[in-house]
Amino acid sequence: MTENTQTPSSPHSELPTAYTPADVEGKLYERWVERGYFTADPASEKPPYTIVIPPPNVTGSLHLGHAFQHTLMDALTRRKRMQGHESLWLPGMDHAGIATQNKVEQQLAEEGKSRHDLGREAFVERVWQWKEEYGGKILGQMRRLGDGVDWSRERFTMDEGLSKAVQTIFKKLYDDGLIYRAERIINWCPRCLTAISDIEVEYQEDAGELVSIQYGEGEDTLVVATTRAETMLGDTAVAVHPDDERYKHLVGKQIKLPLTDRTIPVVADTHVDPEFGTGCVKVTPAHDPNDFAIGQRHNLPNMTIMDERGVITVHGPFLGLDRYEARSAVVGALREQGRIVAEKRPYLHSVGHCSRCSTTVEPRLSLQWWVKVETLAKNAGDAVRDGRVAIHPVEMEKRYFDWVDNLNDWCISRQLWWGHRIPIWYGPAGEVLCVGPDDEAPTGEGWTQDTDVLDTWFSSGLWPFSTLGWPEKTPDLEKFYSTDVLLTGHDIIFFWVARMMMFGLYAMDGQAPFKTIALTGLVRDERGKKMSKSAGNVVDPLDWMDKYGSDAVRFTLAKGANPGTDVPIGEDWVQASSKFANKIWNATRFALMNGATIEGDLPPAEQLSATDRWILSRLNKTIAQVDAYYEDFQFSKLSEALYHFAWDEVFDWYVELSKTTFFAGGEQAKVSARVLGEVLDVMLRLLHPVVPFVTETLWTTLTGRESLVVADWPKDSGFRDDAAEAEIGSIQTLTKEVRRFRKEQGLDDKQKVPARLDLTGTVLAAHEAAIRQVLRLQPEGESFSATATLPVAGATVALDLSGTIDVDAERKRLTKDLGAAEKEKQQAEAKLGNEAFLAKAPDSVVDKIKGRLAKAEADIARIQAQLAALPAA
């Protein structure tokens, strides 16, 4: 796209008097999409810039976390597009295996059915129907936010192309010996009846019980403590530390396991902490990951004691009991035998729960499919260590390395029906066949396909390249891989980020899936608390968009985005951002009505006033500052810089200081109008990636050109004028001091006051008219009486306050305040002069008193100056 250079006529007539986001946003977005601004061209000779969206779940809707990350990704891609890059922001959704299956099973339950009533094929068809009807709600909401994504490339992790990618990489990994089947301990949900990943386990403090149980008989006794007494039925050893002198005589012996007819060995293992509890640990290899590892080291049997629903399966009085029923029954039976040494109830401890249904997760020995990650994880670590991939902020590297350097093999099978079915077939004679996308599945008698599906993270781990057409060598893959930035929350660095790194490097011959990993914090409420339904502080961003506009939500989120740190947000802040959007609107409208234009070249520096040179100098410094912040992903700082430049410098200072020039008319007014047009043009371009709607409306009105989406990003011209900045800085100093004095006297900023200005010999002399305009200072008049005189910035401002304040009452008020300040000073000095007090008082208390003394001295100086400025009685 090239920038349209058409110029406008009477632009201000096209702007309504007030900005109403609802009248603008929807129409603008559809226009952008229809004109193809967000559609990337792989044949373009422009340098590529690629971001693939972290795919939201098909079950999801837009929450503040999405809005936050999408705002930042949109800002990055919009800016790069304006800088001349072929920007691709690729959208899509994740099939979210367990979450989506749960949704449909809940629907069926309302009909009195289960998935087993339908059978696998019919159930999967029902899920697809659900996806078409309810899935993808979030995609429409992304349009509301203004996401500049390439909708022509929208992908879904279960679509045909991505399914082929999944099957391809599974076979490649299998053939390379990196996928295998084995019994290991996994997280098991007894309600969802599937293995679940670590990220799908949510830990919370539960009130359970801690019981100490005596094992063995006579002198050969040990005491173990557990919160899961029912698992003792599956114990196959007790472990102690090899250096623990208390138990060395028992190591290697067999001891009696209570409530059973079995004996179990005492083993020595360095995993045991001899300082914790009794220094003895019960070992249940089939129901605890640490115990499983001990069992592997000591060749212990794995005894499974409960089924997939958490029901006890061993013989005896506990057979058929639910795990919680069994827990009470086992403790009761042990108590009857006098084997309960101690009980602690309630005992708060961290317990894992299924994130989908809140059921307590059960560690379970299970035959599953695994990815061997040792080599893959090393490559993922090396890519960051050798600089191929940068992690931002750099402090997050340690967390990344802590994870990939200690990664365990990855369980990839799930006992679900919705998802990518594992492409393994079993033959009648025990054959195992992996079927690739171009292979024919066996059809002979006795051949069956594995019933499990793949972990959702398996397919989303391919996202940066599968979405671009891999395994085919597509133009998109050639042009847009590697992607430039992965922007995502630091909370999934261990799960999604690591998997994408492993798979990308493996599938793409060592070419990393992204050049930079930019990690963000999480959105919290205005008090910094995590948002949750139970806390009642969850906010629907669409409500705020309806109320204040999408730009206000986006700007608030960007303004809080410091790399890697959490983002507090409250409605007051969104309201303030809405006021900022309105300020931009109203000030631009005023500027347009007073001749602001982009027509013609910018006048040379010698034709510019000091005020014009100052704002152009500040403008170019702001461009440089914003560019630097973008490159460092400092969204908060760039938003603050733009906010203060627009509101403070352009609207509050430049426009106000230029009003006398505009009102006077003539050539200088035309020059300043052109400068103001230039400033508005550049300022709106700089703001556009973060607040696209209001800036688009104002900029197209100002310039008459096609769209900011395809406009050029501003470049720092190098223009600097430190002398003009110092000159205007003197005006600002004088203005602030006079305003402060007026406020102290109880005068409103807009209240007109007669004044005499002595600016002789200062840079302020040329700006008297502007100073009077900004400070609402009237000419002296014949009856002028200087009741207050302020020396500031080398000049003198004499004010006639006789008609505005009661001098006697003001003197009494200030005298009273002075007395209070002097008393405060005396008290502080007395304490600081007391050696006994200083010897005993903490440093923090002493520092506080020193602060009180400094404040009192400053107050005394200020009040004395105010009294001196009052007219004589």
Side-chain angles (χ1 to χ4, degrees):
M1 299 283 179
T2 56
E3 220 178 324
N4 188 318
T5 56
Q6 174 187 350
T7 54
S9 58
S10 60
H12 60 272
S13 62
E14 300 174 24
L15 281 179
T17 55
Y19 176 52
T20 307
D23 294 344
V24 170
E25 294 177 348
K27 296 174 185 175
L28 268 186
Y29 188 83
E30 292 310 316
R31 186 187 308 161
W32 292 333
V33 173
E34 287 167 7
R35 292 182 177 180
Y37 293 153
F38 305 139
T39 304
D41 181 5
S44 168
E45 295 183 0
K46 296 178 182 178
Y49 185 80
T50 316
I51 293 180
V52 290
I53 204 166
N57 287 351
V58 70
T59 58
S61 58
L62 190 73
H63 57 63
L64 274 174
H66 290 127
F68 170 55
Q69 292 181 356
H70 288 204
T71 293
L72 306 189
M73 285 184 276
D74 196 30
L76 290 172
T77 48
R78 283 179 183 268
R79 173 175 174 263
K80 284 295 182 179
R81 187 179 292 111
M82 295 173 75
Q83 286 183 313
H85 289 254
E86 193 65 25
S87 283
L88 169 61
W89 185 18
L90 193 148
M93 292 182 296
D94 195 298
H95 66 280
I98 192 169
T100 308
Q101 178 158 319
N102 277 348
K103 288 280 187 183
V104 178
E105 287 197 83
Q106 288 167 12
Q107 255 190 1
L108 289 173
E110 292 172 3
E111 301 170 13
K113 299 177 183 177
S114 74
R115 60 178 161 132
H116 300 285
D117 294 325
L118 272 66
R120 182 165 192 150
E121 188 174 332
F123 176 77
V124 171
E125 179 59 34
R126 178 73 175 256
V127 181
W128 275 108
Q129 291 172 8
W130 183 93
K131 186 260 180 186
E132 293 305 314
E133 186 174 354
Y134 300 104
K137 177 182 178 183
I138 194 172
L139 298 178
Q141 296 168 340
M142 286 163 56
R143 302 171 90 94
R144 281 287 314 276
L145 188 65
D147 284 7
V149 296
D150 185 346
W151 292 110
S152 71
R153 286 178 167 83
E154 181 191 333
R155 303 304 299 268
F156 178 53
T157 51
M158 289 280 286
D159 68 28
E160 183 178 353
L162 269 63
S163 295
K164 181 178 181 180
V166 167
Q167 201 171 353
T168 299
I169 202 163
F170 186 99
K171 182 168 176 56
K172 179 174 171 59
L173 288 162
Y174 183 85
D175 290 345
D176 287 347
L178 296 175
I179 283 182
Y180 65 95
R181 198 182 191 206
E183 276 196 324
R184 297 282 188 277
I185 293 286
I186 45 87
N187 301 307
W188 181 267
C189 176
R191 184 260 171 232
C192 297
L193 298 180
T194 181
I196 59 177
S197 67
D198 290 340
I199 198 172
E200 290 163 325
V201 179
E202 293 181 347
Y203 288 89
Q204 64 187 47
E205 290 291 310
D206 282 2
E209 61 180 352
L210 180 68
V211 294
S212 297
I213 310 168
Q214 179 181 302
Y215 282 25
E217 302 287 354
E219 294 182 358
D220 296 346
T221 60
L222 296 170
V223 174
V224 300
T226 181
T227 58
R228 301 163 67 214
E230 71 282 5
T231 63
M232 68 158 292
L233 301 173
D235 285 358
T236 56
V238 172
V240 298
H241 194 277
D243 297 332
D244 195 331
E245 295 291 338
R246 293 173 294 176
Y247 307 114
K248 275 193 173 182
H249 66 289
L250 292 176
V251 173
K253 285 189 174 183
Q254 295 282 328
I255 63 170
K256 172 72 174 170
L257 179 65
L259 307 183
T260 72
D261 57 2
R262 295 190 291 120
T263 60
I264 57 177
V266 178
V267 298
D269 196 282
T270 54
H271 169 76
V272 180
D273 180 0
E275 303 298 323
F276 184 77
T278 63
C280 303
V281 175
K282 61 188 288 297
V283 182
T284 320
H287 293 277
D288 183 274
N290 294 321
D291 294 2
F292 179 79
I294 293 174
Q296 293 281 292
R297 289 193 288 272
H298 297 277
N299 199 28
L300 299 175
N302 301 316
M303 185 173 178
T304 300
I305 62 157
M306 63 180 80
D307 68 12
E308 60 185 9
R309 297 183 184 275
V311 175
I312 302 298
T313 57
V314 292
H315 66 279
F318 311 109
L319 180 66
L321 295 181
D322 170 84
R323 53 184 168 160
Y324 298 115
E325 296 171 335
R327 184 173 302 170
S328 298
V330 165
V331 171
L334 289 168
R335 190 181 293 115
E336 286 180 10
Q337 291 187 6
R339 290 188 174 273
I340 299 296
V341 177
E343 294 181 71
K344 187 174 182 181
R345 189 185 296 111
Y347 177 72
L348 287 178
H349 61 131
S350 181
V351 178
H353 295 258
C354 174
S355 63
R356 304 301 175 187
C357 67
S358 298
T359 301
T360 299
V361 169
E362 190 66 38
R364 173 180 169 83
L365 184 64
S366 181
L367 183 63
Q368 302 284 346
W369 285 96
W370 303 81
V371 172
K372 191 181 296 183
V373 301
E374 183 179 1
T375 303
L376 300 174
K378 182 182 181 302
N379 293 339
D382 290 346
V384 174
R385 287 188 170 97
D386 64 25
R388 279 175 287 161
V389 178
I391 292 181
H392 189 89
V394 70
E395 305 85 68
M396 289 287 179
E397 278 188 5
K398 183 180 184 302
R399 295 181 64 186
Y400 177 79
F401 291 137
D402 285 347
W403 180 255
V404 297
D405 292 348
N406 299 284
L407 200 56
N408 296 318
D409 285 0
W410 170 21
C411 176
I412 56 171
S413 46
R414 298 291 180 267
Q415 290 64 55
L416 304 171
W417 287 355
W418 171 246
H420 296 100
R421 193 164 175 181
I422 288 178
I424 293 288
W425 291 73
Y426 305 106
E431 303 96 328
V432 178
L433 179 66
C434 182
V435 177
D438 300 321
D439 300 333
E440 288 291 332
T443 56
E445 185 177 346
W447 282 90
T448 58
Q449 186 177 0
D450 196 297
T451 57
D452 288 353
V453 300
L454 287 163
D455 177 13
T456 295
W457 297 99
F458 190 95
S459 52
S460 60
L462 314 181
W463 190 252
F465 52 96
S466 64
T467 52
L468 296 173
W470 187 90
E472 308 300 327
K473 294 182 178 179
T474 64
D476 276 3
L477 194 64
E478 178 70 23
K479 176 75 173 180
F480 296 111
Y481 188 90
S482 308
T483 68
D484 287 85
V485 178
L486 169 72
L487 192 144
T488 190
H490 62 66
D491 55 325
I492 59 172
I493 185 174
F494 311 129
F495 307 102
W496 188 46
V497 178
R499 281 150 173 69
M500 285 190 291
M501 285 286 282
M502 291 191 298
F503 279 171
L505 291 162
Y506 173 74
M508 299 300 292
D509 299 320
Q511 192 177 4
F514 16 76
K515 301 176 183 71
T516 300
I517 301 169
L519 298 169
T520 70
L522 309 179
V523 178
R524 298 183 177 273
D525 70 12
E526 63 267 33
R527 296 178 182 85
K529 293 183 179 179
K530 182 180 179 180
M531 290 189 174
S532 66
K533 291 180 180 178
S534 59
N537 60 352
V538 173
V539 174
D540 185 345
L542 295 174
D543 292 341
W544 281 351
M545 289 184 211
D546 290 341
K547 197 169 182 180
Y548 302 108
S550 296
D551 282 334
V553 174
R554 291 171 60 114
F555 193 71
T556 305
L557 291 166
K559 212 174 174 189
N562 288 303
T565 59
D566 290 346
V567 183
I569 184 172
E571 186 168 0
D572 288 349
W573 305 340
V574 182
Q575 188 176 20
S577 295
S578 174
K579 289 178 180 177
F580 178 53
N582 286 320
K583 180 75 171 181
I584 298 171
W585 182 274
N586 293 331
T588 303
R589 188 170 180 274
F590 170 85
L592 289 169
M593 293 176 68
N594 284 276
T597 180
I598 64 163
E599 293 188 55
D601 295 333
L602 199 63
E606 57 269 19
Q607 294 182 20
L608 303 177
S609 67
T611 307
D612 293 335
R613 297 196 307 277
W614 163 74
I615 197 62
L616 290 174
S617 182
R618 290 298 309 133
L619 176 66
N620 280 283
K621 285 184 178 179
T622 301
I623 295 171
Q625 193 176 38
V626 168
D627 278 337
Y629 287 145
Y630 261 115
E631 295 307 313
D632 199 32
F633 302 98
Q634 297 279 1
F635 294 98
S636 176
K637 290 183 178 179
L638 73 87
S639 299
E640 287 284 354
L642 288 170
Y643 176 88
H644 289 297
F645 176 73
W647 194 306
D648 299 343
E649 297 185 310
V650 177
F651 302 143
D652 281 0
W653 285 107
Y654 182 73
V655 169
E656 288 298 319
L657 291 173
S658 300
K659 279 183 178 178
T660 53
T661 303
F662 291 142
F663 295 162
E667 287 304 312
Q668 192 56 50
K670 292 180 181 178
V671 169
S672 292
R674 178 64 188 88
V675 170
L676 181 54
E678 181 78 9
V679 170
L680 290 176
D681 174 20
V682 173
M683 183 194 76
L684 293 170
R685 292 175 195 244
L686 291 173
L687 281 164
H688 175 72
V690 179
V691 283
F693 294 108
V694 67
T695 52
E696 172 86 338
T697 306
L698 294 173
W699 188 82
T700 52
T701 303
L702 168 70
T703 66
R705 295 177 180 172
E706 183 179 337
S707 173
L708 263 178
V709 181
V710 290
D712 292 333
W713 182 254
K715 292 181 179 179
D716 176 9
S717 71
F719 179 81
R720 302 289 190 274
D721 195 323
D722 293 338
E725 290 199 40
E727 190 169 328
I728 303 305
S730 296
I731 298 175
Q732 292 172 326
T733 299
L734 180 143
T735 301
K736 290 174 183 176
E737 186 62 25
V738 173
R739 282 177 172 166
R740 184 188 64 76
F741 177 76
R742 288 172 57 129
K743 184 176 182 180
E744 290 169 348
Q745 306 306 317
L747 298 179
D748 186 89
D749 281 347
K750 296 181 180 180
Q751 188 171 349
K752 294 182 178 180
V753 176
R756 177 186 298 142
L757 305 184
D758 182 2
L759 311 176
T760 307
T762 71
V763 294
L764 301 169
H767 301 281
E768 180 170 349
I771 291 170
R772 286 186 176 277
Q773 164 68 30
V774 170
L775 287 171
R776 307 294 192 268
L777 300 179
Q778 294 178 319
E780 303 171 34
E782 294 182 4
S783 60
F784 179 82
S785 174
T787 59
T789 303
L790 303 175
V792 58
T796 303
V797 179
L799 302 174
D800 183 355
L801 304 178
S802 56
T804 57
I805 64 169
D806 184 332
V807 176
D808 288 339
E810 185 63 14
R811 182 175 286 107
K812 287 179 182 178
R813 184 185 70 81
L814 290 172
T815 301
K816 181 179 179 182
D817 290 348
L818 180 62
E822 288 173 338
K823 183 178 180 181
E824 176 72 7
K825 178 187 176 185
Q826 290 169 1
Q827 290 175 343
E829 286 177 335
K831 285 192 175 183
L832 294 173
N834 185 333
E835 294 297 335
F837 169 77
L838 292 177
K840 296 180 181 179
D843 290 345
S844 59
V845 174
V846 175
D847 290 341
K848 187 175 181 180
I849 294 171
K850 287 180 178 178
R852 284 170 50 193
L853 175 60
K855 182 179 183 302
E857 289 175 339
D859 287 343
I860 290 169
R862 174 180 55 81
I863 296 168
Q864 287 175 338
Q866 289 177 244
L867 283 167
L870 290 174

